[in-house]
Amino acid sequence: MLKWRSSSVTEGPERAPQRALFKAAGLDDEDLSRPLVGVANSWNEIVPGHMHLDKVAEAVKEGVREAGGTPLEFNTIAICDGIAMGHEGMRAPLPSREVIAASVELMAKAHAFDALVLVSSCDKITPGMLMAAARLNIPAVMVNGGCMLPGSLRGREVGISHVFEAVGQYAAGKISEEELREMESLAAPGPGSCAGLYTANTMAIAGEALGMIPAGTSTIPAASSERLRAARQAGRLVMGMLERGIRPRDIMTYEAFENAIRVDVALGGSTNAVLHLMAIAREAGIELPLELFDRISRETPHIANLNPAGPHYVRDLHHAGGVPAIFKELADLMHLDAVTVSGETWRQIVSRAEVRDRSVIKPKSDPYHREGGLAVLWGTLAPRGAVVKQTAVDPEMQVFKGYAKPFDSEEDAVKALFDGRVAEGDVVVIRYEGPKGGPGMREMLAATATITGMGLRRVALITDGRFSGATRGPAIGHVSPEAAEGGPIALVREGDEVLIDIPRRRLDLLVSQDVLEERRREWKPKVKEETGFLRIFSMLAESADRGAVLRSS
């Protein structure tokens, strides 16, 4: 008989107190003789991506029981980035990733779980749970909650990105308050991760490409019964992993991370994937330099164009064949011998896959763009790099020279936009929003959506913060070093010329080195007084070019 990890809390006379406490929770001796499988669930009543996860977890537990395990459900936190957006609350989501990873780790260690099923949805929860899986390295399967369906407004499909942009349209007098209200009531029609390829769905797809979410399931809509069937199967799969001794680090290899990056850039996913894949890889003992993301993006065609940059939604990608179809189309670029949680390799999965809709997934020979979605820029404004979603940038703005309008917070920048103090030809620079300086590295969707909604086509935005996956346009984030560390972004003054050259991967402040040195001598960092976990995060967070993870030593 196999000796389970959980036997350390369930077997022997000396464990009678532990068994008594398990029995107090309703378990019996038969339950305790089976492997104990933790079911980490981020369900809550606040986040639409999580409001249905109680039902998903029930299906997972059915699958675990059917396969001979004892499921034990527990919860972790989940923040809605959309609700947190545009105010002080946006300092919380990225730090929450570390809290989620730690909470899953501690629950699994304390209760000696033999395996885990990670029930997740949305931006920081999926990467946080994958970080925990890599850290613990016990058999684990992830099942995500699925995508939201797009809303319908007067005959056209809409997503949450349209609501953020509608705020700018209203400010510019392009729509009425009544039209804005109508939009907000219809754009997010029910449960699931917001319908476009924003960060939530980007990371679910990345989880599948890594091999940790069962193949073909990350794109299933939340409202579909297929979602519950996939959850039940995930419960069975984790028991198979346990029996075969397959662990997360056997799956999340360097080659698997290359696969995840390649799928992400082929779809034009959120720039947040850079931070999160770096953080997950770090837990698996793998380093992913920024140069790797840029190299893979240069090699990989952009073959699916999803909202916010394109007309399709994640639901459409699922109907077109999902992630397996992307692997099939890019087969000669992928590591097909990488293993997945089912025990199958991608080569086996791809042999059954097909592209079902060429209007959604274009041939590799005839892509939307020759290069993938991400570009990493370097230069005098970003010596250690910056990131842009290049496939969401208008061709006319791929190379752009403008005059800096620096602001020390997103709120100041948005107020200037509403007040009409930003004009065509400007480069809005938002600083002191990085991991340390924010602290928390806020997303700047309120600013980018306002620029787009107001129709400012020749305005770029540069920040040491980051961007929502719902962002489109010339929005450059993750500028490193950040302002709080004394990076060049802290020295920008109004009227400075800034050069953005995406094809050449350059981001330059066109100010002489002598002038910058003089400014540096006068510079004093802005210190924000924080308490609680944000203070800890500010003290320990590494730079964006390192994934904004907490320093471990």
Side-chain angles (χ1 to χ4, degrees):
M1 181 178 175
L2 287 172
K3 189 83 167 175
W4 304 117
R5 186 168 175 265
S6 58
S7 63
S8 63
V9 293
T10 61
E11 292 184 7
E14 71 279 10
R15 294 306 181 205
Q18 284 83 355
R19 288 194 297 275
L21 292 168
F22 277 124
K23 288 179 178 180
L27 276 64
D28 60 23
D29 288 330
E30 185 177 349
D31 295 324
L32 295 175
S33 71
R34 299 170 178 165
L36 302 185
V37 179
V39 179
N41 189 358
S42 53
W43 172 85
N44 64 43
E45 294 182 333
I46 305 165
V47 188
H50 300 253
M51 58 192 278
H52 62 305
L53 294 187
D54 53 341
K55 299 177 179 62
V56 173
E58 284 301 322
V60 166
K61 290 187 286 186
E62 285 180 24
V64 170
R65 291 189 191 100
E66 289 166 0
T70 297
L72 296 168
E73 184 179 355
F74 64 95
N75 285 88
T76 188
I77 62 170
I79 289 171
C80 179
D81 286 45
I83 294 173
M85 196 73 67
H87 59 93
E88 286 294 307
M90 183 37 76
R91 302 195 194 286
L94 185 60
S96 80
R97 184 186 69 182
E98 314 304 316
V99 174
I100 292 158
S103 67
V104 174
E105 172 200 4
L106 295 173
M107 286 293 287
K109 283 185 174 178
H111 303 106
F113 293 141
D114 298 295
L116 286 169
V117 181
L118 308 165
V119 182
S120 170
S121 196
C122 295
D123 301 37
K124 311 306 166 301
I125 301 86
T126 297
M129 287 189 175
L130 288 172
M131 288 167 67
R135 190 180 295 175
L136 289 160
N137 204 33
I138 61 174
V141 174
M142 171 163 275
V143 53
N144 66 303
C147 61
M148 186 185 290
L149 298 175
S152 179
L153 177 65
R154 302 185 184 185
R156 69 184 179 108
E157 290 188 325
V158 292
I160 196 67
S161 62
H162 294 101
V163 186
F164 278 98
E165 291 176 9
V167 174
Q169 292 167 349
Y170 172 71
K174 295 181 178 182
I175 62 172
S176 67
E177 185 175 357
E178 182 181 352
E179 289 172 305
L180 180 61
R181 288 278 188 175
E182 185 180 16
M183 172 80 79
E184 75 181 49
S185 298
L186 298 173
S193 299
C194 295
L197 191 60
Y198 316 141
T199 306
N201 287 315
T202 293
M203 291 314 302
I205 288 168
E208 181 178 337
L210 274 173
M212 290 297 294
I213 291 177
T217 69
S218 70
T219 53
I220 298 170
S224 171
S225 61
E226 190 183 356
R227 170 56 54 200
L228 297 180
R229 294 196 295 274
R232 191 169 173 178
Q233 178 62 12
R236 298 188 192 109
L237 284 177
V238 80
M239 295 304 296
M241 290 182 69
L242 185 59
E243 289 169 9
R244 294 193 298 274
I246 300 174
R247 298 169 182 262
R249 292 187 199 173
D250 300 326
I251 295 168
M252 290 191 281
T253 61
Y254 179 83
E255 290 75 17
F257 280 100
E258 283 206 348
N259 282 345
I261 296 169
R262 201 171 299 279
V263 168
D264 176 61
V265 298
L267 296 175
S270 168
T271 52
N272 282 318
V274 176
L275 295 173
H276 297 323
L277 288 172
M278 281 182 170
I280 299 164
R282 182 80 69 88
E283 298 293 348
I286 296 166
E287 293 293 327
L288 301 179
L290 275 175
E291 290 83 356
L292 176 66
F293 289 84
D294 192 64
R295 175 179 65 76
I296 290 176
S297 193
R298 284 184 181 275
E299 298 169 352
T300 309
H302 178 218
I303 59 173
N305 201 22
L306 307 184
N307 172 271
H312 303 297
Y313 290 85
V314 175
R315 167 209 61 192
D316 303 316
L317 177 63
H318 184 66
H319 296 326
V323 174
I326 299 295
F327 265 79
K328 189 176 188 75
E329 188 60 35
L330 300 176
D332 61 334
L333 297 173
M334 308 302 291
H335 298 288
L336 297 180
D337 292 324
V339 73
T340 69
V341 287
S342 69
E344 289 188 301
T345 66
W346 275 107
R347 191 177 304 281
Q348 293 169 295
I349 294 162
V350 164
S351 70
R352 303 189 299 270
E354 61 177 318
V355 178
R356 302 192 192 108
D357 189 341
R358 282 297 183 188
S359 71
V360 177
I361 301 174
K362 296 194 75 172
K364 181 164 65 84
S365 59
D366 182 29
Y368 287 99
H369 299 94
R370 185 176 56 82
E371 293 186 357
L374 293 174
V376 181
L377 313 182
W378 288 271
T380 57
L381 190 51
R384 297 211 309 263
V387 179
V388 63
K389 188 194 289 190
Q390 64 172 341
T391 49
V393 179
D394 189 302
E396 293 181 7
M397 292 292 288
Q398 292 279 327
V399 178
F400 178 67
K401 186 187 291 185
Y403 295 98
K405 285 279 180 72
F407 302 95
D408 291 344
S409 72
E410 184 190 23
E411 288 86 350
D412 288 348
V414 171
K415 186 176 187 306
L417 284 160
F418 284 156
D419 291 346
R421 290 185 280 122
V422 174
E424 300 283 12
D426 284 342
V427 176
V428 175
V429 177
I430 304 179
R431 58 198 176 192
Y432 295 102
E433 293 286 10
K436 290 181 178 295
M441 202 178 182
R442 291 195 295 177
E443 291 181 342
M444 304 287 113
L445 181 57
T448 57
T450 301
I451 289 169
T452 301
M454 295 179 76
L456 294 168
R457 294 192 46 158
R458 292 189 58 76
V459 170
L461 196 154
I462 297 171
T463 181
D464 54 6
R466 58 196 177 91
F467 294 109
S468 163
T471 293
R472 59 193 176 102
I476 299 166
H478 306 197
V479 170
S480 299
E482 63 175 288
E485 291 183 326
I489 193 171
L491 308 179
V492 177
R493 293 189 181 175
E494 185 160 349
D496 288 348
E497 273 196 306
V498 176
L499 174 64
I500 300 165
D501 190 335
I502 294 173
R504 292 181 59 240
R505 301 303 199 255
R506 297 294 304 179
L507 181 62
D508 289 308
L509 181 61
L510 303 182
V511 175
S512 74
Q513 204 59 41
D514 289 344
V515 170
L516 289 180
E517 286 303 321
E518 184 179 340
R519 290 180 187 178
R520 185 173 297 284
R521 287 192 290 271
E522 299 171 1
W523 173 74
K524 293 180 181 178
K526 294 183 182 297
V527 179
K528 296 177 183 175
E529 294 298 327
E530 291 290 350
T531 59
F533 188 72
L534 285 179
R535 182 170 180 269
I536 295 170
F537 187 83
S538 178
M539 292 167 60
L540 296 180
E542 294 201 34
S543 181
D545 64 310
R546 300 279 289 164
V549 296
L550 294 185
R551 201 168 58 247
S552 57
S553 60

